[in-house]
Amino acid sequence: MVEGRLPFRYLGVPIKTTRLSATDCKPTIDKVVDRIRGLGARKLSYAGRLILVKAVLKTLLQYRATMFILPTGVISRIESICRNFLWDGGADYIRSPLVSWDKACKPWDEGWLGLKNDIQWNKAAVGKLVWLLASKPDHMWVRWVNHTYIKGKDWLTYEPPTSTSWYWRRICRVKNLFKEAYNQNMWTTQHNKEYTIAKGYDFIRDKGLKVNWHNLVWNKWSIPKHSFISWVYQHKNMNTMEKLHNLSISEEYTCRICRNETETIEHLFFDCPYNRKVVVIEGDWLGLPLPYQDLMEWRLRITGSKMKQGIINATINACLYHIWNQRNRSRIELSLLRLT
């Protein structure tokens, strides 16, 4: 046995007696950036990068967020890397996002991308310590904390002295976020079941209104990249020529396919003579009443078996994707013709 010294690393995380600094967390940031470089993500669709953000990049941070109180600046830096990776495939800010990151970090059923806000996730992880102190008096760490800090006082009304450690004051600050979720030292929001980080996160996050169309866009019948474009269409955030022209990014504003009318979302998907042929053929096959500019309202009225509804929604998602894909191809081809 060799006598060691603090700080040291265990299972990839730093172990020290003081709070973590940005320098201590730099290896985590470097690891996230290295993962991005090894993924070759610029060739992936938005949906492919979204899956990688959830399954790879976010887990690197959340693994550490469940064990430590991380510096807010470090969490914000990693979230900005995830944002840049999602919208452009790299770690640096180059392309403006289609939606703000705060909106992207909201659930599917509220109309967004189902990502987690890691600052709030870190607080929810600390909330597990709050729950231990409230409900597990025989836990060894709880007994030590009671003997050293609380000393017989009521935990939910306890306020730490300014002379106590930074970690302990942060735990007490997080406790104040969860006070309303306790009843006689028991977690009560989920039928008196035990606290979990997911429940704590859902309790403190900013909740929005639920939408009735998320299952139409995100479902097992649709290819993920088709669903993603359908989701962008639903929020009317597509970078049409009209939008690029209004932002002074492009001098052109006409449709890249018919090259006659202003390229708005309504024109591109319903009024462009070339794309309208596709829409009419699809509408005849699916039995859509034309015209159907209010596409989402029509989709909400679909009846029949789940398989029938799934196939119709998958077909509509695919149609939206391929129209948008053809528009992008036409735009590139037109630019190459002008260069030659």
Side-chain angles (χ1 to χ4, degrees):
M1 301 293 292
V2 179
E3 182 179 356
R5 293 183 179 181
L6 292 171
F8 63 93
R9 300 189 73 81
Y10 179 70
L11 296 179
V13 296
I15 306 297
K16 57 186 301 187
T17 56
T18 57
R19 63 177 177 175
L20 295 179
S21 65
T23 303
D24 296 323
C25 298
K26 188 176 182 302
T28 301
I29 298 176
D30 293 339
K31 185 174 289 187
V32 172
V33 174
D34 290 340
R35 287 291 179 90
I36 288 177
R37 291 171 180 168
L39 291 174
R42 290 189 183 276
K43 299 179 181 178
L44 296 175
S45 64
Y46 283 130
R49 293 200 291 267
L50 176 62
I51 292 172
L52 290 177
V53 167
K54 286 186 174 183
V56 180
L57 302 184
K58 283 280 190 177
T59 54
L60 291 174
L61 176 60
Q62 290 171 1
Y63 168 66
R64 289 153 180 79
T66 56
M67 295 182 287
F68 301 104
I69 301 176
L70 298 175
T72 303
V74 171
I75 298 177
S76 298
R77 172 58 182 154
I78 295 178
E79 285 203 324
S80 69
I81 293 173
C82 293
R83 178 200 64 204
N84 299 337
F85 174 77
L86 173 62
W87 299 117
D88 193 59
D92 300 319
Y93 181 85
I94 297 177
R95 183 179 299 177
S96 297
L98 297 178
V99 298
S100 68
W101 190 248
D102 290 338
K103 289 182 178 179
C105 293
K106 290 186 177 181
W108 303 105
D109 58 4
E110 292 179 12
W112 304 105
L113 295 179
L115 296 170
K116 295 288 191 297
N117 182 310
D118 289 309
I119 293 178
Q120 293 180 335
W121 181 267
N122 194 199
K123 292 178 182 179
V126 178
K128 195 163 188 176
L129 301 178
V130 177
W131 175 73
L132 286 174
L133 288 166
S135 61
K136 301 289 185 181
D138 293 331
H139 192 280
M140 183 177 294
W141 177 78
V142 173
R143 294 178 66 179
W144 179 84
V145 168
N146 279 319
H147 174 76
T148 306
Y149 292 112
I150 302 178
K151 298 180 180 179
K153 299 178 182 178
D154 180 66
W155 165 229
L156 294 181
T157 60
Y158 169 85
E159 293 296 333
T162 56
S163 59
T164 55
S165 69
W166 177 86
Y167 266 113
W168 177 244
R169 293 198 305 274
R170 286 298 297 269
I171 291 173
C172 293
R173 190 185 306 175
V174 170
K175 175 204 64 176
N176 294 330
L177 297 175
F178 292 98
K179 274 186 177 181
E180 296 180 1
Y182 284 91
N183 182 19
Q184 298 180 350
N185 291 344
M186 293 298 296
W187 180 261
T188 60
T189 56
Q190 294 290 337
H191 307 292
N192 295 325
K193 294 182 180 179
E194 292 189 351
Y195 178 91
T196 64
I197 297 177
K199 293 176 185 176
Y201 175 80
D202 187 65
F203 179 78
I204 64 174
R205 72 176 181 85
D206 298 326
K207 297 179 177 62
L209 297 176
K210 296 185 182 298
V211 298
N212 55 1
W213 50 260
H214 68 283
N215 285 329
L216 309 180
V217 172
W218 306 101
N219 55 72
K220 66 179 181 179
W221 300 94
S222 298
I223 297 174
K225 62 181 180 181
H226 296 175
S227 294
F228 196 97
I229 296 301
S230 181
W231 172 79
V232 177
Y233 165 83
Q234 179 60 24
H235 284 287
K236 302 297 187 288
N237 280 330
M238 290 178 159
N239 289 326
T240 59
M241 297 306 299
E242 179 195 42
K243 179 179 178 181
L244 297 178
H245 177 75
N246 292 337
L247 294 173
S248 300
I249 296 175
S250 173
E251 296 181 357
E252 299 287 342
Y253 57 86
T254 56
C255 176
R256 297 296 86 185
I257 296 179
C258 69
R259 305 178 189 176
N260 290 324
E261 302 293 333
T262 301
E263 188 186 270
T264 63
I265 292 179
E266 291 74 17
H267 168 80
L268 183 63
F269 289 98
F270 302 107
D271 297 330
C272 177
Y274 296 95
N275 293 336
R276 189 165 182 82
K277 292 180 182 178
V278 177
V279 173
V280 169
I281 293 173
E282 180 200 32
D284 290 341
W285 183 64
L286 295 177
L288 293 174
L290 296 176
Y292 59 100
Q293 273 81 353
D294 197 347
L295 182 59
M296 194 55 64
E297 181 181 346
W298 184 89
R299 294 173 75 171
L300 291 170
R301 297 200 302 264
I302 297 175
T303 58
S305 66
K306 289 185 177 180
M307 178 178 289
K308 175 186 174 182
Q309 296 179 38
I311 292 173
I312 291 176
N313 284 310
T315 305
I316 294 174
N317 290 342
C319 182
L320 295 173
Y321 169 82
H322 286 291
I323 288 176
W324 183 247
N325 191 40
Q326 183 57 44
R327 176 266 184 189
N328 291 335
R329 288 182 180 180
S330 299
R331 183 185 176 191
I332 294 172
E333 291 172 359
L334 187 58
S335 298
L336 292 176
L337 285 173
R338 288 178 176 176
L339 290 175
T340 55

